[in-house]
């Protein structure tokens, strides 16, 4: 990670990463499929955390609140590793190929969230919509937070972003959500 | 496109595509950067349509309604080309690399929508949230529609999906959106 910041992602070799970490290249490849995985190995942890948190959420929680609980648990974890999160974000922001990988991981997280909501009995499309909303909140709150991770609170920004999303999507006529398509 | 369906995307060469279309390879490359661009050239048209529709929307329209207007205009266009849309979807669904490209194009569309909303005076994060919501609606309505494009109405599914999203995100306490974070 430090090497990516110092020298740029493209100009850092696996040999250099392994040496800095005090590992052989062989040991490195036992842990990571390639040098990109140093940055994305956390996605599996995050997904597991999303899924278990959503499954354990109170059964009467509405879909988007259950999905948000998962995302907020992820936010707590990320905030505990703020130095890593900030460095990682800077590296990814500087490299289009890594941004693509990040989009794919976010799409996987959204699919996993939707699947978990379905296992809680949420209807098919409602589950997809709630998961997409939670991931949008995750993404936008994270981008706000990472600009000043020492002073901002990521879980709180996530809750605020969901509130803001509700305001933004409120029905134009009444300022309240339409219930025409209640499921 | 027919060739991709017949033989699979990976097993189709540019020479074969050009021949089927009655073009030389040179002419093909004048129109498309590579064979993937046959599938993604429409994204630029869609983006232009999103942006102009959102800019032309009535100025008192709330952010998400303005974003939806852009997305619905795209839905009308896609529906006019339902045979192409269905084939294209089947090709992309069968190929992870094309799915990645699709995610990137959707992220670009979301960024363009958010930027257009900001030009209409919508606050920074509210614009990002409204754009993400509109793209989520676009994606999920499209996936419903493409299963039966001869009988379903894409623009209508988009409006229904937004209504459903409002229901799904409604506040747990009141069944209405929280206004705690009104912007």
């Amino acid at each position: 990670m430090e090497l990516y910041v110092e020298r740029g992602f493209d100009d850092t070799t696996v040999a250099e990463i392994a040496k800095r970490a005090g590992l052989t290249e062989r040991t490195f490849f036992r842990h990571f499929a390639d040098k990109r995985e140093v940055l994305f190995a956390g996605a599996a942890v995050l997904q597991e955390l999303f899924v278990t948190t959503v499954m354990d959420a109170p059964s009467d929680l509405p879909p988007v609140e259950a999905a948000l609980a998962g995302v907020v648990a992820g936010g707590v974890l990320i905030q505990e590793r703020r130095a890593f999160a900030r460095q990682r974000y800077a590296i990814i922001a500087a490299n289009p190929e890594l941004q693509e990988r990040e989009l794919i991981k976010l799409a996987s997280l959204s699919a996993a969230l939707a699947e978990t909501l379905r296992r809680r009995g949420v209807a098919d499309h409602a589950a997809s919509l709630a998961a997409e909303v939670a991931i949008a909140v995750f993404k936008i709150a994270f981008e706000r937070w990472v600009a000043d991770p020492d002073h901002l609170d990521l879980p709180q920004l996530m809750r605020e972003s969901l509130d803001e999303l509700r305001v933004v999507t409120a029905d134009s006529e009444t300022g309240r959500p339409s219930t025409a398509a209640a499921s």
Side-chain angles (χ1 to χ4, degrees), chain A:
Chain A
M1 283 283 294
E2 289 165 19
L3 281 165
Y4 293 162
V5 175
E6 287 166 22
R7 323 191 29 167
F9 178 78
D10 286 332
D11 293 332
T12 305
T13 66
V14 166
E16 290 168 325
I17 300 166
K19 192 177 167 198
R20 176 76 64 107
L23 303 170
T24 64
E25 276 191 64
R26 179 177 296 192
T27 310
F28 178 90
F29 283 118
R30 209 177 296 145
H31 291 287
F32 303 106
D34 59 41
K35 68 176 186 172
R36 293 200 299 182
E37 277 309 309
V38 176
L39 300 170
F40 294 100
V45 178
L46 218 50
Q47 181 162 326
E48 179 65 20
L49 185 62
F50 280 17
V51 168
T52 53
T53 307
V54 173
M55 281 313 288
D56 291 349
S59 60
D60 59 343
L61 220 52
V64 88
E65 297 285 345
L68 186 74
V71 159
V72 164
V76 170
L77 182 71
I78 290 169
Q79 188 152 281
E80 284 169 3
R81 305 173 182 187
R82 54 168 63 77
F84 175 88
R86 186 178 3 201
Q87 282 196 339
R88 180 183 177 280
Y89 180 77
I91 293 162
I92 291 174
N95 185 309
E97 194 195 331
L98 297 176
Q99 285 167 40
E100 294 179 16
R101 173 86 70 122
E102 181 83 331
L103 285 175
I104 294 157
K105 297 282 181 181
L106 284 171
S108 301
L109 286 173
S110 177
L113 266 184
E115 185 52 37
T116 309
L117 291 172
R118 281 181 206 112
R119 280 163 57 200
R120 285 171 59 94
V122 178
D124 192 25
H125 302 118
S128 299
L129 286 163
E132 288 286 333
V133 163
I135 293 296
V137 160
F138 176 77
K139 217 168 89 176
I140 289 164
F142 179 83
E143 278 164 17
R144 294 170 75 164
W145 173 78
V146 81
D148 186 11
D150 293 327
H151 297 100
L152 297 171
D153 184 66
L154 180 53
Q156 188 192 326
L157 285 178
M158 289 172 167
R159 292 189 199 96
E160 285 175 12
S161 289
L162 179 59
D163 282 340
E164 201 179 348
L165 184 142
R166 286 174 171 139
V167 173
V168 162
T169 57
D171 190 87
S172 54
E173 301 301 306
T174 62
R176 288 171 191 160
S178 161
T179 48
S183 56

